[in-house]
Structures are given as C-alpha cells and as structure tokens.
Amino acid sequence: MSRIYGLVAEFDTAEALLRGAEAAREAGYRRVEAYSPFPVHGMAEVLEHDDPRLPWAVFIMGVIGCATGFGLESWTAVINYPFNIGGKPTFSWPNFIPVAYELTILFSAFTAGLSMLVLNGLPRYHHSIFNTPRFERASSDLFFLCIEARDAKYDPEETAHFLENLGAQLVSEVEK
Amino acid sequence: MDNTRHISSSNGPVDPAVAGLMEGEQTFETVSERLASIVLRQDKHKLPWWIMLGIGFVMYNLLGIALTKLLLYGVGIWGIDEPVGWGWAIINFVWWIGIGHAGTLISAFLLLMRQNWRNSINRFAEAMTIFAVLCAGIYPVFHTGRPWCAYWLFPYPNILGMWPGWRSPLLWDVFAVSTYASVSILFWLIGLIPDFATLRDRAENVVVKKTYGVLSLGWRGAAEHWQRYETASLILAGISTPLVLSVHSIISFDFSIGIVPGWHTAISPPYFVAGALYAGFAMVIILAVPLRKWYHLEDYITPKHMDWCAKLMLTSGLVVLYGYMSECFFSYLSGNHIEIRMMELRQFGPYGAAYWFLILCNGVIPQLLWIPKVRFHNGWLFFISVVVSIGMWLERYVIVVVSLTRDFLPSSWGYFAPTIWDILMYAGTIGQFIFLFFMFVRVMPMINIFEMRELVHKTHGHVHSSAEEHSAATPVSLPAQPAE
C-alpha cells in the first residue's frame, strides 16, 4: 500500500478535467491534484488552492526594498558622509526617490519569481506523478487528475471505479 | 481595433476578443508540435538562419575589435571631445534601451490589459528586450573610460568612506538599468519554465532531454503550481509596467536635469517613453516579418498581430511627433534667446539636415500606416519599421550632439564628427543583437507554447473536443480571473 502514490485518471479536455476535479471534491476526496498543459481557469477555486503567502511576501519585500533604498541614501548622505554639493541640503529627499523606487521593484520582482518557485517546491529532481503512463503528454495535450493514496477516503477499488465513471480515458495506479 | 476585414475568421462562434489570433486548424498537439519542433528539429533552421547568424557573428567580432582598441587607447579614439563629451556612446545607449521597452510593454502591460494577442509575440519580444539591454549596457560602462572600475558606481563600503552621489540622474540610471535588466531576465525565464517542460517531454535525444529537464526545474503542471505561477506572473507584470516607464523617464532625466539648452525641458519623460515604445514596436515588426516567413509561423503571428503592432507603432509615433511640435513651439515661445537660438540651430544650423531627416523618418513616412493595405503588407511594414529605427537614432543624435555643440558662451562652441571606432562599435552591438537573437531562436521556443495552447482552448476548444464533451454547462470561464 505504501508503494502506491495514487490513482491517476487521464482526460483529453480541460472541461473534463475540471468536471472531474469538481466531482472528486464533492465525493469527499481531499488529496486531489490536477495536472494540465496550461492553467485551467476555475481549477484553483475547485481544488481550493489559494496561497496568500506569495502576494504578501512580495508586498513585504517591496516595502523592505523601498526602506533599504531610502534608508541607505539618507544614512550615507546625511549621517555617514554629509557633503555639500552646490549648497543643496544633505537631506534632499526628492532626489532619493528614483533609487528607492527601483529597489522596491527589484526586491518585489525577485520575491515574486523566487517565492513562486520555493512555495511550489521547485526545482525538484523527481516526483511520483512522472511515473504515470503517458504523463509526458501532460505538457502537450493530455489532462490528468490524481487522487493520492494518502487521502482518507482512498480505496484502490472504489476510487478507481469512481475515476472511471468520470469519463476518464485511462485510470492507472501510480507507484511512488 | 476594428479593422478585421482582411482576416479570415476562424470557424465556429468564437469570442471576438480572440478571433483572428490563430489561423488554420489548431489543436493542443499541433501547436505544441509546430512550436517545439523549431527547437527540437535542427533541420528546421535553414539557410536564412545561417546567413543571419553569419552576419551577426562577423559584426559581433567588430565589437571585439572596437572594444580592444578602446581598452588600449581610451575613449579618445571616439569622436568625443570638448564640448561634445557625449557622442555615439550615449546616443546608442538610449537607442538600445528604448528598443527594449516594447518587449516589456507587450509582456507586462498587455497582460494586465488582458490582451490575448500578446501571447504570440511576447516571448521573442522579451528576448529582444534582454538582448537590447545587453547592447545598451556596454556603452555607459565603456564610456566611463575605466570599465574595470565600473563597480565604483555602486554603493559599497570603501576605504575612502565615500558614497555615490545620490542626487545625480547618472546614478539613478545605474539602478534603473540594472533593475530593468535583471527583472526582464527573471520575467523571461519564469515564462520559459512550462515551455522547457514541454521540450523536455517531447525531446528524443537524451542529452537534449536532460538539458531541458534541468532547465524546466521539474515543472509538472500541477494546478497548485499554475495558481502560484499565474499570481506571480500577474504581480511581475504589475511591477514591470511602472518599471518600464520609470527607466526611460530616468534616462530622460540624464538630459532634462542638466541645464544645457535643448535638454532642460519638462516634456522629456513622456516624450522619451513614447519614443522608446515607438522604436521598440518598430524592432518587433522588423523581427516578426522575417521570423514568421522563415519559420512558417503565419498561423500564429497572424496579419492581425502585425496590424495591431503597426497601429501601436503609429500611435506612439504620433505622441512623439506631438513632442517634437511642442518642443519647437515652447522654444520659440519661451522668450529665452538661448532656447530660441538652440531651436534655430537644430532646424537650420550645420546639423539641420539630421533634424529634417528625423522629421521625415519619424513624422512623415510612418503616416503611411493609416492606410490598411500598408499595415497588411509585410514589405511596407518592414520598410517603415527600419525607417522608424533610423529616425529614432537620429532623434537621439539631434538631442545629444546638437545641444552640446552650442553652449552658453560662443568660446565653447564646437563641432562633432564620429570616428571609425564609433561606427565599428555601433555595428558591433547590432551584430551582438543579431547573433544572440538567432542563437535564442535555435535553442528556446520563440513563441510561448503554453499560452498558445491556452489560446487554442479559448478559440477552438469547443470545435475540436468530441461532441459529448461539449456541454453548455462547462464552467471553464466561471470565475473571473485577472489574467487572461
């Protein structure tokens, strides 16, 4: 039993995948994941994938970026090495805006990109789902719905039957 | 955007927002196969690719020669001297950065505006951005004269205890351009991950498969991943859009914050940004016309795409033209005799020919784009885009050189003429751009494959799926997503 990752159903359209995912959620399955060659809209809501951490991380790092830029400029120009250039005030803050602005963008952009990867657990060397037959077509034209073996409601016979009834072209048991 | 009469409409009732964005019978498989095979099947790259790579390689070597000479002898080999200390190096820097901006606009701003037509052109436009910024970056670094000390531009604790001058737009440039370059590369690479996964899964050669396997970072298309991916893309688009505007505004500050007559104008930021987009859309068309012909991509980059790019080019061109007119108007109206003389000098002085040629290239010839036939004719589009590129280069020439030749005091007036080393270095960066671009075309998908699959889903999904799958109740577009 522990050698099995889950049961994977194969569909040929995004609509079928979405309906399958909805049916699986309604049937009470919780460890359900859909694999598609492009983002299927509505899927995140059906599977309740909603991660507020990413936007918050971006916002917080953006604020830190802005503070870093403005803080560095103010500290170096006012405290660490005040320097009279053309009689301008040392704390000439309007001139500090462009650098603070660019650092805000730099910090938040890299946070968006990198936290997407980190929260998704990427890069990753291997994953059990790749043992699925024909899964190489999940990046071209096939859609897969996986009910994982660790789901409380998982039963090899009953779950396979459930997936077949969804109109799957192929249901396969996938090893870890 | 109503001119669709030249476009064969797709079969079936298709959402007008995506009509005409793809031609022929397309399925997920045909899209993936056609676009991935350009990378995976090396025989797809025929003579034109080798010719372009050859031209690029030869010209790229000119850059090596020009930079070697420059490092040995210093910037004195260029035409710069007093009073014109900013010659071709700064002109070319601004020109290249400007070209890059259309790529970011297409990938970021059009994503925010839910413009589906960006999907066919965003990938190579982003590549264009990155290579253009790489070309641009060479100039200011070598213009410092001691490029090995270029790190002095960054704030770091040093034994003198000195920090960079935060009040200088030249320092803002350092932050703006380096941020722009790194964010553009990040955005581009993130967009490539699902496509690398497609290439990984379709490759037959083991080495190729492993290479794309590593590059795809283990992407498996899970719904949870797509959700974060789309959130991250949308956020990146949201912060790249103001980034583009800020980068070229800051570049215009290089000029407008100086008190040199002809530079010191408040109109510079919007006028520079419009000019950047103008040159950028011209470059997108210059690249798209041969690419779609050589790689038979007419099904994906349709006449509608070319038409809309041309319309955006025309629009930004009109803003630029308005900028020229208001610059002229406010100079003559200023009552400031130095400003008036500067405008007279630009138009009727020793460099007058450059000014009028610039008006011809940027203001007059592109008006042909009002004619629909011209917008649907590849030859004309290519010609006008080249003309616009030349015009935008001349614009920077007129701004940089002509303004500097006449200072406030007649004793410091002078002339500028480029040397062979200016020309070789310019040719060299063009070579670098061509070389890198055609290398990119060979190893990475030049059209975003997964977004094209999504487009198939939106346009033909109900046509191609089997009858029983097509139920009116399919809730595919139920929740309103901010992305397309």
Side-chain angles (χ1 to χ4, degrees):
Chain A
M1 198 56 199
S2 60
R3 296 280 308 138
I4 299 299
Y5 175 69
L7 277 161
V8 180
E10 179 192 301
F11 300 95
D12 67 346
T13 63
E15 291 84 352
L17 179 73
L18 190 61
R19 263 177 290 157
E22 264 178 329
R25 292 293 295 193
E26 274 166 26
Y29 291 104
R30 284 296 165 266
R31 317 277 335 180
V32 182
E33 185 55 302
Y35 298 87
S36 56
F38 56 86
V40 178
H41 287 157
M43 189 60 86
E45 286 76 5
V46 168
L47 297 179
E48 289 170 26
H49 289 320
D50 180 28
D51 193 347
R53 286 177 292 174
L54 195 151
W56 276 108
V58 173
F59 175 73
I60 291 165
M61 286 304 284
V63 171
I64 291 176
C66 185
T68 305
F70 201 82
L72 179 73
E73 289 174 291
S74 309
W75 179 72
T76 54
V78 181
I79 299 161
N80 188 254
Y81 203 120
F83 203 75
N84 187 337
I85 300 168
K88 289 170 191 154
T90 48
F91 186 64
S92 44
W93 65 269
N95 286 320
F96 297 167
I97 291 172
V99 170
Y101 181 80
E102 298 301 335
L103 285 182
T104 310
I105 287 178
L106 185 71
F107 277 45
S108 48
F110 272 81
T111 309
L114 297 180
S115 62
M116 185 276 286
L117 290 177
V118 170
L119 293 171
N120 280 346
L122 301 175
R124 180 177 174 129
Y125 181 66
H126 191 65
H127 189 272
S128 307
I129 194 72
F130 286 109
N131 296 332
T132 312
R134 306 214 282 173
F135 194 76
E136 69 281 357
R137 284 174 66 186
S139 62
S140 291
D141 63 343
L142 286 183
F143 301 80
F144 293 87
L145 184 72
C146 175
I147 297 182
E148 293 171 23
R150 52 190 173 146
D151 191 296
K153 214 173 162 288
Y154 181 87
D155 177 83
E157 303 285 314
E158 204 179 301
T159 307
H161 202 69
F162 171 76
L163 286 173
E164 272 158 19
N165 284 343
L166 290 177
Q169 308 184 107
L170 180 76
V171 176
S172 36
E173 202 172 44
V174 173
E175 294 189 347
K176 263 186 190 161
Chain B
M1 306 287 179
D2 51 45
N3 198 324
T4 49
R5 65 190 159 201
H6 293 262
I7 297 159
S8 58
S9 65
S10 324
N11 39 8
V14 168
D15 178 6
V18 289
L21 296 184
M22 206 181 252
E23 289 184 350
E25 282 288 302
Q26 302 290 346
T27 63
F28 300 135
E29 177 57 25
T30 56
V31 168
S32 308
E33 169 58 27
R34 283 276 297 280
L35 298 176
S37 68
I38 295 171
V39 177
L40 296 174
R41 286 196 31 220
Q42 295 298 315
D43 58 328
K44 289 256 178 181
H45 300 275
K46 300 210 171 69
L47 193 62
W49 185 85
W50 286 103
I51 292 173
M52 289 314 292
L53 192 80
I55 293 171
F57 183 71
V58 170
M59 288 169 75
Y60 202 172
N61 278 295
L62 296 179
L63 182 66
I65 296 167
L67 290 183
T68 308
K69 173 87 178 181
L70 185 71
L71 286 174
L72 292 174
Y73 291 86
V75 289
I77 62 168
W78 288 343
I80 55 173
D81 200 346
E82 291 301 327
V84 182
W86 282 8
W88 279 37
I90 302 303
I91 298 165
N92 295 340
F93 164 68
V94 180
W95 189 73
W96 276 119
I97 282 275
I99 283 173
H101 283 359
T104 319
L105 185 98
I106 287 169
S107 60
F109 186 62
L110 297 185
L111 177 72
L112 293 181
M113 294 289 124
R114 297 200 220 174
Q115 297 296 310
N116 287 299
W117 63 281
R118 67 180 268 288
N119 296 348
S120 311
I121 52 175
N122 69 347
R123 172 67 48 71
F124 77 81
E126 283 168 35
M128 173 192 90
T129 295
I130 291 163
F131 302 144
V133 173
L134 288 181
C135 291
I138 293 172
Y139 287 104
V141 170
F142 283 88
H143 194 260
T144 60
R146 285 189 289 167
W148 49 91
C149 296
Y151 66 93
W152 289 5
L153 292 164
F154 288 96
Y156 69 100
N158 55 60
I159 52 167
L160 295 174
M162 291 284 281
W163 299 95
W166 301 110
R167 296 177 196 88
S168 165
L170 300 181
L171 185 81
W172 304 346
D173 253 6
V174 174
F175 281 84
V177 175
S178 55
T179 300
Y180 184 52
S182 32
V183 172
S184 298
I185 291 172
L186 177 86
F187 201 2
W188 187 61
L189 287 177
I190 297 262
L192 276 162
I193 291 172
D195 282 359
F196 283 144
T198 302
L199 293 174
R200 169 197 69 198
D201 292 341
R202 301 186 76 88
E204 280 154 14
N205 180 308
V206 178
V207 178
V208 174
K209 204 176 184 68
K210 292 214 161 141
T211 309
Y212 287 116
V214 170
L215 291 172
S216 67
L217 308 177
W219 184 260
R220 53 186 192 273
E224 189 185 13
H225 291 187
W226 280 123
Q227 195 265 335
R228 290 202 189 94
Y229 183 90
E230 291 217 293
T231 310
S233 299
L234 200 62
I235 292 174
L236 278 172
I239 50 193
S240 297
T241 304
L243 173 64
V244 177
L245 303 182
S246 78
V247 170
H248 227 70
S249 297
I250 288 176
I251 285 171
S252 80
F253 291 159
D254 291 347
F255 301 100
S256 58
I257 286 187
I259 54 164
V260 176
W263 286 5
H264 195 57
T265 56
I267 196 169
S268 282
Y271 158 58
F272 267 60
V273 171
L277 298 177
Y278 193 30
F281 276 107
M283 189 57 88
V284 167
I285 292 174
I286 289 174
L287 293 171
V289 167
L291 280 183
R292 65 200 285 264
K293 192 170 166 58
W294 292 339
Y295 292 97
H296 308 293
L297 295 171
E298 287 92 344
D299 283 353
Y300 306 113
I301 306 174
T302 65
K304 198 166 181 176
H305 291 105
M306 305 305 285
D307 177 36
W308 287 1
C309 278
K311 280 175 175 165
L312 277 173
M313 184 164 87
L314 179 62
T315 312
S316 47
L318 289 173
V319 178
V320 171
L321 190 61
Y322 174 78
Y324 297 149
M325 289 197 272
S326 71
E327 205 174 29
C328 182
F329 178 77
F330 285 108
S331 289
Y332 284 124
L333 200 74
S334 66
N336 180 327
H337 72 278
I338 290 174
E339 283 289 338
I340 294 171
R341 290 299 297 274
M342 172 49 66
M343 193 43 76
E344 282 175 357
L345 181 78
R346 270 192 193 175
Q347 292 174 332
F348 309 109
Y351 297 98
Y355 182 84
W356 293 111
F357 196 55
L358 137 75
I359 295 292
L360 178 72
C361 287
N362 278 357
V364 179
I365 294 176
Q367 302 309 321
L368 286 170
L369 292 170
W370 287 99
I371 306 165
K373 267 197 177 145
V374 171
R375 293 199 304 271
F376 287 98
H377 188 283
N378 284 333
W380 274 108
L381 275 181
F382 190 82
F383 168 73
I384 292 171
S385 302
V386 170
V387 164
V388 167
S389 297
I390 295 169
M392 287 311 297
W393 190 89
L394 284 170
E395 182 202 300
R396 279 69 182 248
Y397 185 84
V398 167
I399 293 174
V400 173
V401 168
V402 181
S403 308
L404 284 173
T405 52
R406 290 292 186 279
D407 208 336
F408 295 94
L409 293 172
S411 60
S412 59
W413 289 1
Y415 286 99
F416 170 84
T419 65
I420 183 71
W421 297 104
D422 286 302
I423 297 164
L424 282 182
M425 190 153 160
Y426 182 43
T429 48
I430 293 175
Q432 170 176 291
F433 181 80
I434 296 173
F435 182 81
L436 291 176
F437 192 82
F438 280 87
M439 288 304 274
F440 150 76
V441 162
R442 187 136 189 167
V443 297
M444 291 177 194
M446 70 180 114
I447 293 181
N448 195 324
I449 310 178
F450 87 84
E451 288 186 346
M452 294 310 279
R453 281 193 295 259
E454 205 175 3
L455 196 59
V456 170
H457 178 66
K458 280 182 191 160
T459 50
H460 298 260
H462 53 293
V463 177
H464 286 276
S465 57
S466 50
E468 80 276 3
E469 296 291 357
H470 176 44
S471 118
T474 42
V476 177
S477 53
L478 253 186
Q481 283 273 332
E484 80 286 318

